[in-house]
Amino acid sequence: MTDRTNLFKSYMNAVGLNDMVENFINGKLIPGQGEKILLIDPFTGIKLTQYSDAGSNLTENACTASNSAQKVWMNEFSAAGRGQVMQRASLEISNNLENLAKLESIVSGKPIRDCRVEVSKVAEMFSYYGGWTDKLHGEVIPVPSGHLNYTIREPLGVIFQITPWNAPIFTAGWQIAPAIACGNGVVIKPSEFTPVTTVALVRYLETSGLPKGLVNVLCGLGSSTGQSAIKNELVRKVVFVGSPITGKKVAISASESLKPVVLELGGKSANIVFDDCDLEHACLGAQAAIFSGAGQSCVSGSRLLIQSSIYNKLTSMISSGMKSIKLGDPLDDTTEIGPISNLKQFNHIQNIIKMAKQEGANVSETSDLPEGGYFISPTVLTNLNNSSTPAQTEIFGPVVTAIPFETEDQAIAKANDTSFGLAGAVWTNNVGRAHRVASKVTAGTFWINSYKAIHVSSPFGGSLSSGFGRSSGLEALMEYTAPKSVWLDSAETPSISFGYVA
Ligand code: NAD
């Protein structure tokens, strides 16, 4: 057994799990029953463990448990009581931040400093949404017909959530917290590559006082376990975070039983730099936008649109700046970029870089990559246009395509010349221009002289191939509830007539 496998096991135990990857169903850790899945350490390429896909029987059990517990959550807890449990959960996550972050770092390959931030944001999510549980009231609507009409916001029931591997515990907290704050039950299936921190998180929710079975975790494959949960008749809504290609499959399956879906999908965000910006600041922003998290972020600034007058200067500033970015062991406090999270993604990125070369790109990379793991250098591609494969394909790696433009109109046209609509940014000191560009670029999130600023209180989501529906903020509460309109005849002499009365 390698040191790394031992470390993995010790952090599994530190967060209350057994050595093996297990599902969490109705308050119990239960091994899967299906196909075998390998968990590989992306830093060394060595096997950490092996586990079995959850399978359809456990999926059924998870949905049944969540359905029963959801009634307990709504009927036996007051709205404020649900909030108190969520505040305790927030504290429990904070108290276990370091162990959760270390386990996340080992399995995902994400630098430990990023994992600490992400776990702290999960604690913040439970605190934020815990504050909403007793404020989810409806409205009284002044209808004209002598009736009292009011709305109540009701939970939907069991929500099935599917998450990707790039920010596993962050994405789990991001979706579970608003769902349970609204009174729903949850069955969640994390990526097969990174299941364990979601299990640990949900176990901490239960030790904080959440009813057994309210949130259940299924570890395993989308094509089997994922599809069987989508089809389960107890599931009332499907929330999917992942790639557009899988998002389509999820939406098609959900539509067969008319289940609503939220799709949080990929991006190819334009990061637009005008020559009137603070260039040093924009250079740092452009690097952080694409290289942090090794570019494995849905909002990464992967298309860098640069005004022609500063194109050569900025691309060479970025290329020389990226040489000092530290790649290495994700558990090392000084590491800024870890390995790519899994071999499938590593191969995909390498393939796109190969295609970029075939399409005539000039490729700027750093040298001296750590050996053994799935490392890819920060990479700047120049001499490509906006219709090239690297500019149109979600690479989801530390690879930026730098494209020149002349005018503001051209910048906006190029920014919108993509199938995605997730995020974008502009760097300029011209306030009017900043607002003009922000209003004209198709994106759910847009930054001005900034990048990757996000908060649980602010809505997040996309359009086009980036999906639909919103997570975070007040909007997530709307996704996880449905309004019921209640009518009471308040006339002194109530009357019943055939047809509409309002
Ligand atoms: P993916 O689509 O391959 O997998 C996502 C999840 O879907 C996994 O849990 C997987 O097991 C499951 N899945 C796979 N096939 C399935 C099927 N047939 N039915 C049901 N579930 C299935 O995505 P990935 O490679 O894990 O993640 C990367 C993608 O996620 C990128 O496109 C990225 O942009 C996107 N992403 C989006 C956001 C956002 O908020 N918009 C956030 C993070 C990641």
Side-chain angles (χ1 to χ4, degrees):
M1 193 177 300
T2 65
D3 287 353
R4 209 76 185 171
T5 317
N6 280 329
L7 257 188
F8 166 72
K9 289 190 172 173
S10 74
Y11 283 111
M12 288 284 280
N13 298 158
V15 296
L17 304 181
N18 301 321
D19 288 354
M20 49 209 272
V21 178
E22 293 170 301
N23 307 282
F24 193 68
I25 300 171
N26 207 15
K28 289 201 185 76
L29 290 164
I30 302 173
Q33 301 172 340
E35 194 180 316
K36 296 270 179 281
I37 302 166
L38 281 181
L39 211 60
I40 304 288
D41 170 17
F43 176 56
T44 59
I46 289 169
K47 172 179 150 188
L48 289 173
T49 190
Q50 179 176 293
Y51 69 102
S52 299
D53 183 28
S56 55
N57 288 343
L58 295 188
T59 302
E60 180 76 37
N61 295 350
C63 295
T64 305
S66 187
N67 188 49
S68 307
Q70 190 262 335
K71 294 178 177 53
V72 174
W73 186 229
M74 280 306 285
N75 298 332
E76 296 180 21
F77 288 72
S78 65
R82 290 193 287 275
Q84 281 156 11
V85 172
M86 291 188 67
Q87 298 300 344
R88 278 203 296 279
S90 171
L91 205 61
E92 186 82 339
I93 296 160
S94 296
N95 290 341
N96 292 283
L97 185 149
E98 190 60 21
N99 288 330
L100 285 167
K102 290 252 169 68
L103 185 61
E104 185 83 319
S105 180
I106 292 170
V107 176
S108 70
K110 185 170 273 201
I112 182 65
R113 56 196 225 172
D114 296 352
C115 293
R116 289 190 185 111
V117 173
E118 291 187 1
V119 177
S120 74
K121 283 193 176 286
V122 174
E124 199 178 22
M125 290 162 190
F126 282 89
S127 171
Y128 172 81
Y129 281 111
W132 269 112
T133 57
D134 56 357
K135 297 166 193 75
L136 286 165
H137 45 68
E139 297 168 316
V140 177
I141 298 165
V143 291
S145 61
H147 281 73
L148 169 66
N149 175 235
Y150 62 92
T151 60
I152 37 181
R153 293 213 76 88
E154 296 185 324
L156 307 176
V158 178
I159 312 287
F160 177 48
Q161 302 171 337
I162 307 176
T163 56
W165 46 260
N166 65 311
I169 195 169
F170 176 92
T171 316
W174 190 43
Q175 295 302 336
I176 294 170
I180 62 171
C182 294
N184 299 289
V186 170
V187 175
I188 183 166
K189 194 206 79 60
S191 166
E192 58 274 29
F193 295 115
T194 52
V196 290
T197 47
T198 301
V199 181
L201 168 67
V202 172
R203 205 193 65 86
Y204 283 131
L205 299 184
E206 284 201 9
T207 56
S208 308
L210 219 65
K212 259 192 205 355
L214 186 71
V215 185
N216 304 272
V217 190
L218 295 170
C219 300
L221 302 170
S223 52
S224 48
T225 298
Q227 284 294 324
S228 113
I230 293 169
K231 290 173 186 148
N232 189 288
E233 61 180 15
L234 296 172
V235 168
R236 293 285 180 266
K237 186 163 190 170
V238 179
V239 176
F240 174 79
V241 186
S243 63
I245 194 162
T246 314
K248 268 187 213 162
K249 291 182 194 162
V250 167
I252 289 168
S253 303
S255 73
E256 279 164 16
S257 46
L258 295 178
K259 291 188 178 103
V261 292
V262 168
L263 298 178
E264 294 283 5
L265 310 177
K268 194 73 204 175
S269 301
N271 197 7
I272 308 167
V273 187
F274 284 94
D275 63 6
D276 59 9
C277 71
D278 173 341
L279 203 56
E280 292 287 335
H281 192 54
C283 176
L284 289 174
Q287 291 185 58
I290 185 64
F291 300 140
S292 68
Q296 301 167 112
S297 161
C298 54
V299 294
S300 69
S302 52
R303 280 186 306 143
L304 186 59
L305 306 184
I306 309 173
Q307 201 153 26
S308 301
S309 49
I310 54 166
Y311 183 86
N312 289 340
K313 186 162 185 201
L314 183 58
T315 49
S316 58
M317 279 167 77
I318 294 171
S319 294
S320 68
M322 74 193 190
K323 294 195 170 62
S324 59
I325 297 175
K326 189 172 170 216
L327 280 79
D329 183 347
L331 285 177
D332 182 336
D333 279 325
T334 63
T335 294
E336 291 170 297
I337 298 187
I340 299 305
S341 206
N342 57 72
L343 184 59
K344 185 176 165 211
Q345 185 60 19
F346 179 71
N347 289 337
H348 166 71
I349 300 167
Q350 284 194 319
N351 195 28
I352 301 277
I353 295 174
K354 202 166 126 197
M355 286 165 92
K357 288 176 182 162
Q358 284 163 359
E359 290 183 29
N362 294 331
V363 181
S364 169
E365 297 167 313
T366 60
S367 46
D368 297 337
L369 293 183
E371 280 173 19
Y374 307 143
F375 281 94
I376 293 213
S377 163
T379 304
V380 179
L381 304 176
T382 52
N383 198 37
L384 289 175
N385 62 35
N386 196 51
S387 55
S388 62
T389 306
Q392 290 295 324
T393 313
E394 187 181 38
I395 303 176
F396 218 56
V399 182
V400 66
T401 310
I403 299 157
F405 68 85
E406 301 291 338
T407 65
E408 188 178 308
D409 284 348
Q410 262 187 18
I412 293 164
K414 287 190 184 199
N416 288 336
D417 183 13
T418 167
S419 63
F420 294 99
L422 192 61
V426 65
W427 301 82
T428 175
N429 280 333
N430 178 332
V431 178
R433 165 175 278 169
H435 287 289
R436 280 195 301 277
V437 175
S439 72
K440 288 180 183 159
V441 173
T442 305
T445 300
F446 199 81
W447 297 285
I448 297 170
N449 295 333
S450 181
Y451 212 95
K452 277 197 182 174
I454 51 159
H455 192 258
V456 61
S457 57
S458 183
F460 183 90
S463 59
L464 307 170
S465 298
S466 298
F468 48 80
R470 286 294 180 272
S471 301
S472 300
L474 182 58
E475 274 74 4
L477 300 172
M478 304 299 118
E479 297 286 359
Y480 283 118
T481 54
K484 178 181 278 174
S485 176
V486 181
W487 293 78
L488 175 135
D489 189 345
S490 55
E492 209 169 334
T493 318
S495 67
I496 298 291
S497 68
F498 277 67
Y500 301 117
V501 290

